[in-house]
């Protein structure tokens, strides 16, 4: 038996484990899950095997140990970003790769405020992706004048070292992972890989992962994944459309871990006079206008949402003692023109 045939047979054994039915289906070990994903990324299994595996795994639901194994493979084969000595611990934002189509994204502006305050930020994303085909991180930053998806990985590292911003764009920086996207369209559902993407970071070293989710069981499962991976610092947010954008329309309860000390946070915008309607996403032109109104004039429909989000993340990062100070810090950064200057510097660097 040649190597390819042997790999297909090995993959078939994993498929039997997760696809045998309600009473006989068994989970994979961390090592088996890592191997299964690596085989898929290498293209060893047949398309029928990969599709069957994804839908069977979706129906059965991945176990935390399996997600940890998949992250092991992404860490092994994927792009890597490193922090220099004496650099601030970065925030790594984990959001659904298939984007947004209902609510106006806030995180590009939140990222700018954090970077302006010398808090490094790492983002991950791809192009328009099934099943949602929503607006992507790349498109949003393009509207702000930053062509982040066009940079090679060395340039990404350079920008991270110089300005504290890194965007991992899957089609360019992790093309073997991008090769599996077509299966998402074929099965018509997000596979477990999509869950894993929410808690994976390309950053190697100490960081804090901020991960969005939609369904409450996801939060519990991701806490277990972080424990398995020995991630000490993380925040799990039931954000807008599964993103890390914190809503103004409602109070949310989130899980916050700092040096493995877990607490439940209650984030209530009404306590800070910031409760209001979450902005609908209309189109990119209107979104761009709202963004510049927020960071240039402190006006427009996104401004209060930006203060709320930036205020919380300033506090989570340790830049301020509490959320109120964080909100004030965000106001001052906008009024002083500092945030707009930071954006202009990034735009000029991107043109080099």
């Amino acid at each position: 038996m040649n190597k390819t045939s042997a790999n297909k047979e090995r993959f078939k054994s994993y498929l039997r484990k997760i696809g045998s039915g309600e009473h006989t289906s068994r989970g994979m070990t961390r090592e088996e899950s890592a191997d299964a994903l690596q085989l898929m990324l290498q293209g060893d299994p047949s398309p029928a095997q990969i599709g069957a595996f994804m839908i069977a795994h979706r129906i059965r639901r991945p176990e935390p140990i399996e997600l940890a194994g998949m992250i092991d493979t992404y860490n092994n084969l994927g792009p890597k970003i490193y922090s220099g000595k004496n650099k601030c611990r970065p925030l790594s934002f984990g959001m659904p790769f298939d984007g947004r189509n209902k609510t106006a994204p806030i995180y590009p502006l939140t990222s700018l405020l954090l970077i302006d305050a010398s808090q490094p930020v790492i983002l991950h994303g791809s192009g328009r992706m099934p099943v949602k085909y929503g607006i992507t991180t790349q498109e949003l930053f393009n509207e702000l004048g930053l062509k982040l998806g066009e940079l090679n990985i060395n340039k990404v590292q350079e920008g991270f070292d110089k300005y504290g911003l890194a965007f991992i764009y899957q089609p360019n920086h992790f093309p073997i992972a991008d090769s599996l996207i077509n299966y998402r369209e074929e099965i018509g559902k997000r596979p477990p890989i999509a869950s894993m993407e929410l808690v994976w970071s390309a950053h190697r070293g100490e960081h804090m992962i901020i991960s969005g989710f939609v369904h409450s069981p996801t939060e519990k499962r991701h806490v277990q994944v972080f424990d398995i991976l020995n991630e000490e610092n993380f925040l799990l947010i039931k954000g807008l459309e599964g993103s890390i954008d914190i809503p103004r329309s409602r109070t949310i309860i989130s899980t916050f871990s700092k040096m493995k000390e877990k607490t439940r946070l209650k984030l209530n915008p009404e306590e800070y006079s910031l409760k209001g309607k979450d902005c609908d996403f209309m189109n990119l032109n209107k979104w761009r206008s709202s963004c510049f109104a927020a960071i240039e004039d402190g006006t427009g429909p996104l401004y209060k949402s930006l203060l709320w989000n930036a205020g919380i993340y300033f506090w989570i990062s340790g830049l301020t003692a509490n959320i109120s100070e964080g909100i004030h810090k965000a106001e001052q950064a906008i009024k002083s023109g500092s945030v707009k200057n930071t954006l202009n510097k990034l735009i000029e660097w991107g043109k080099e």
Side-chain angles (χ1 to χ4, degrees):
M1 183 183 293
N2 60 37
K3 183 178 179 181
T4 300
S5 297
N7 287 346
K8 284 185 178 181
E9 284 302 311
R10 191 163 82 250
F11 188 81
K12 192 184 295 182
S13 71
Y14 303 143
L15 184 54
R16 289 194 194 100
K17 277 195 169 188
I18 64 168
S20 298
E22 182 178 355
H23 300 292
T24 57
S25 176
R26 292 182 292 124
M28 296 178 288
T29 66
R30 182 173 178 175
E31 293 73 22
E32 288 172 336
S33 180
D35 186 43
L37 181 55
Q38 181 164 332
L39 290 172
M40 288 193 288
L41 292 174
Q42 292 171 175
D44 289 325
S46 69
Q49 285 180 313
I50 294 175
F53 182 91
M54 284 188 177
I55 197 64
H57 209 192
R58 158 84 188 198
I59 292 170
R60 189 181 61 81
R61 302 295 183 188
E63 296 177 6
I65 196 70
E66 294 172 338
L67 291 175
M70 294 164 76
I71 290 172
D72 290 339
T73 292
Y74 262 48
N75 287 342
N76 182 38
L77 300 180
K80 298 169 180 62
I81 295 293
Y82 300 91
S83 293
K85 290 183 178 180
N86 303 319
K87 290 287 186 179
C88 184
R89 177 186 64 196
L91 299 185
S92 184
F93 288 152
M95 292 173 285
F97 278 21
D98 58 1
R100 299 274 284 277
N101 58 17
K102 295 177 182 177
T103 54
I106 309 155
Y107 67 88
L109 299 182
T110 307
S111 298
L112 287 177
L113 264 79
L114 288 164
I115 293 161
D116 180 66
S118 300
Q119 170 57 59
V121 173
I122 298 172
L123 301 121
H124 308 76
S126 188
R128 290 288 183 104
M129 183 184 287
V131 294
K132 196 171 184 179
Y133 290 106
I135 297 298
T136 66
T137 299
Q138 182 205 26
E139 292 174 282
L140 295 171
F141 275 100
N142 281 354
E143 289 298 313
L144 298 179
L146 289 171
K147 310 293 185 181
L148 300 178
E150 299 175 6
L151 307 178
N152 64 41
I153 195 64
N154 293 329
K155 194 74 173 175
V156 173
Q157 181 68 60
E158 177 190 310
F160 186 65
D161 293 338
K162 192 171 183 179
Y163 294 106
L165 174 63
F167 172 51
I168 300 300
Y169 185 54
Q170 185 171 269
N172 289 345
H173 304 140
F174 200 3
I176 57 173
D178 214 54
S179 67
L180 296 179
I181 288 176
N182 184 57
Y183 291 96
R184 304 188 190 204
E185 175 64 37
E186 295 297 322
I187 67 176
K189 291 287 185 180
R190 288 173 175 164
I193 292 172
S195 295
M196 181 269 295
E197 289 163 350
L198 299 174
V199 289
W200 168 70
S201 176
H203 182 258
R204 305 273 69 81
E206 186 181 356
H207 49 235
M208 177 177 286
I209 298 180
I210 316 290
S211 179
F213 68 91
V214 174
H215 305 295
S216 296
T218 301
E219 180 184 22
K220 182 179 179 181
R221 183 175 63 209
H222 284 174
V223 168
Q224 293 175 287
V225 173
F226 285 136
D227 285 343
I228 293 167
L229 295 171
N230 202 31
E231 290 283 356
E232 298 182 341
N233 305 292
F234 59 84
L235 177 67
L236 291 166
I237 290 287
K238 191 172 184 178
L240 298 173
E241 298 183 64
S243 75
I244 56 86
D245 284 341
I246 303 165
R248 287 176 58 216
S249 60
R250 55 185 167 87
T251 298
I252 64 168
I253 308 295
S254 61
T255 300
F256 177 43
S257 175
K258 186 175 183 180
M259 301 302 292
K260 290 193 174 182
E261 286 290 327
K262 297 182 183 67
T263 56
R264 294 289 281 169
L265 298 181
K266 182 180 179 182
L267 302 173
N268 181 4
E270 193 168 12
E271 293 180 8
Y272 303 88
S273 301
L274 286 174
K275 186 171 183 179
K277 184 180 182 298
D278 298 314
C279 298
D280 295 331
F281 181 78
M282 305 298 288
N283 56 57
L284 281 171
N285 286 334
K286 289 185 178 180
W287 180 83
R288 181 181 184 277
S289 297
S290 297
C291 286
F292 282 103
I295 63 173
E296 290 179 343
D297 307 315
T299 61
L302 286 179
Y303 179 60
K304 289 188 176 181
S305 292
L306 177 57
L307 293 182
W308 177 230
N309 277 260
I312 290 169
Y313 287 124
F314 280 162
W315 170 59
I316 290 294
S317 304
L319 297 173
T320 61
N322 52 55
I323 294 175
S324 294
E325 286 185 17
I327 292 169
H328 179 69
K329 183 178 179 68
E331 288 177 317
Q332 293 303 113
I334 292 169
K335 289 178 180 178
S336 68
S338 180
V339 177
K340 184 65 187 302
N341 288 338
T342 293
L343 174 59
N344 288 337
K345 289 177 183 178
L346 286 166
I347 291 171
E348 288 304 310
W349 167 76
K351 291 178 180 178
E352 292 176 3

